[in-house]
Amino acid sequence: MPVSAVDCVQPALHHTRQQLFTRFRFGQWTRLALVGILAAEVHVGGCNFGNVGQFTHPRKPENMPSLSRLPSGWPPFNPSHISDHLGQIVGLIVVAVFVAVVLGFVFLYLNSVFRFVLFDSVLRRECSISEAWRRWHRAGGRFFLWQIVLQIAVWLFLLVLVGVPMAVALAAGWATNLREHIARLIVGVILLGGLLLVFALTTVVVQVLARDFLVPIMALENLDFADGWHRLLGIIGPEKGRFAVYLLLKLVLSIAAGILFTIIAIIPALIVVIPSVVAVLAGRAAGMGWNVATISLAIIFGTLLLLLLIYLIALVSVPATVFFPAYALYFLAARYPTLDVLLHPVPVPPPAPELPPVPESPPPFEAPPLPPSAEPIG
């Protein structure tokens, strides 16, 4: 009988405890922290790096310096300079967009390969990044193609989902006379919001299924993503309800892990933030002002500290990094014999003890020959 999603929690916890705590190895933790970052398997709910640096204030405090009272060393702001350097600004924007796109593809490729590295590390209970990279970079390249296809499909679907209703509304003249079509606009916005919500949930479900189940199937059968999806959908088909329960339970477990490891992440955050604040206050007390050099140093050291903070948070989150892939493997193994054999190997019987050598039997007794005088005559 296939194991339910609830039944897989305890084996996954035992697997995590056995891999990380039975014989504590700090080197393995450090490697798993890096793998968790690159595989996007860090479960910290309060760590939203997309909102870093975005602050909103209801009103401007009285002691906040305005553009006319910038610190010494900062060049004065003149709006007319923007038009004089418009070409340079546009060029910088184009270069920044190009660099962002290139870096996005690089990190997407690394994420694709490290999903297989994480799968290998959890399955074998041993993390060796260089060896796993050599073993799985080809499979990661095929998963990278899948992720590109998914991204293109998502953006095309969003373009159709949002663009077509807007085109219809503009063609019908709703934008020119809002008062006459206010009710239709409200209904249209509600329907569009519902469709966007369903689309977002569907995208998340597809991504979770790909990371949790498509990766092991592609790895163990050496398949491309199309054949892997065909194989996975064949497994999901008879048990759609059990997979739905798995997704819901994983959501609950992810929320719980996010809360727990966000609390634990306060420790590395204090380790990084407190010395930084002390350094800033010490520099300010020493009379250091803001200029091009100090701003450049602040950006460089701030970036390094941010990377250090991310790594430390990933380091304390290693148990979650191991638990969730293990949870997926135990759930899939009950329905996928190829994985079950690797996850539950048959113990090799110990060799039979060697028996002591059997002593050789003495040679048969032979009567000594008679002397010539004792030989019978005739």
Side-chain angles (χ1 to χ4, degrees):
M1 185 68 179
V3 181
S4 68
V6 178
D7 297 333
C8 297
V9 175
Q10 188 61 35
L13 288 173
H14 177 73
H15 185 112
T16 304
R17 183 170 59 252
Q18 185 181 36
Q19 181 171 354
L20 298 179
F21 299 102
T22 301
R23 185 165 64 90
F24 181 80
R25 292 167 291 171
F26 183 72
Q28 181 171 206
W29 278 65
T30 57
R31 292 189 294 271
L32 284 170
L34 178 60
V35 172
I37 293 172
L38 296 176
E41 195 67 42
V42 179
H43 292 263
V44 178
C47 192
N48 189 357
F49 302 108
N51 294 328
V52 173
Q54 297 181 4
F55 302 98
T56 57
H57 300 279
R59 61 184 181 89
K60 176 182 172 182
E62 297 298 329
N63 58 352
M64 179 179 290
S66 63
L67 292 177
S68 61
R69 295 186 286 112
L70 290 173
S72 61
W74 189 275
F77 176 75
N78 189 349
S80 63
H81 290 172
I82 296 179
S83 59
D84 297 337
H85 303 281
L86 184 60
Q88 296 178 0
I89 295 174
V90 172
L92 288 175
I93 293 175
V94 171
V95 171
V97 171
F98 176 77
V99 171
V101 171
V102 172
L103 289 178
F105 277 104
V106 170
F107 283 114
L108 189 64
Y109 176 75
L110 291 175
N111 174 263
S112 302
V113 178
F114 272 86
R115 289 306 309 181
F116 287 86
V117 175
L118 180 60
F119 158 74
D120 181 83
S121 302
V122 174
L123 180 63
R124 295 173 59 241
R125 296 176 173 85
E126 180 66 36
C127 182
S128 176
I129 296 178
S130 58
E131 180 183 349
W133 178 277
R134 290 192 297 269
R135 185 184 298 120
W136 301 113
H137 72 277
R138 294 184 181 274
R142 294 193 290 268
F143 192 69
F144 173 64
L145 293 178
W146 150 250
Q147 298 217 71
I148 292 178
V149 170
L150 178 62
Q151 295 295 327
I152 294 175
V154 166
W155 284 107
L156 288 178
F157 192 84
L158 280 176
L159 182 63
V160 173
L161 187 62
V162 177
V164 171
M166 290 183 63
V168 171
L170 292 175
W174 292 7
T176 58
N177 196 348
L178 293 177
R179 293 184 178 180
E180 295 183 0
H181 305 284
I182 188 66
R184 296 178 182 178
L185 283 173
I186 293 175
V187 173
V189 169
I190 293 174
L191 291 177
L192 182 60
L195 290 175
L196 287 175
L197 179 61
V198 172
F199 173 72
L201 292 176
T202 303
T203 303
V204 171
V205 168
V206 170
Q207 289 177 332
V208 172
L209 292 177
R211 292 188 306 171
D212 289 359
F213 305 131
L214 180 63
V215 166
I217 292 175
M218 290 178 62
L220 297 181
E221 298 190 24
N222 195 24
L223 300 175
D224 58 21
F225 68 86
D227 294 333
W229 271 113
H230 179 75
R231 183 80 171 87
L232 176 58
L233 293 176
I235 297 174
I236 295 176
E239 298 187 72
K240 298 182 182 69
R242 289 181 180 268
F243 277 86
V245 173
Y246 166 85
L247 293 172
L248 292 175
L249 183 57
K250 182 172 182 179
L251 174 62
V252 174
L253 293 173
S254 298
I255 294 173
I259 296 173
L260 173 63
F261 287 99
T262 298
I263 297 173
I264 297 175
I266 295 175
I267 299 175
L270 293 177
I271 293 174
V272 174
V273 170
I274 292 177
S276 304
V277 173
V278 172
V280 171
L281 294 177
R284 186 173 182 179
M288 295 180 61
W290 290 110
N291 52 46
V292 176
T294 55
I295 291 174
S296 300
L297 289 175
I299 292 174
I300 293 172
F301 283 104
T303 302
L304 293 177
L305 289 175
L306 178 61
L307 294 176
L308 176 61
L309 178 60
I310 295 173
Y311 182 78
L312 292 177
I313 290 175
L315 187 63
V316 299
S317 304
V318 164
T321 301
V322 173
F323 168 78
F324 283 97
Y327 176 58
L329 291 183
Y330 279 95
F331 183 80
L332 180 62
R335 299 150 179 84
Y336 188 37
T338 305
L339 177 60
D340 186 62
V341 171
L342 298 175
L343 200 60
H344 303 95
V346 178
V348 179
E354 297 183 0
L355 298 177
V358 180
E360 297 182 0
S361 57
F365 175 78
E366 296 182 0
L370 296 175
S373 58
E375 290 182 358
I377 300 176

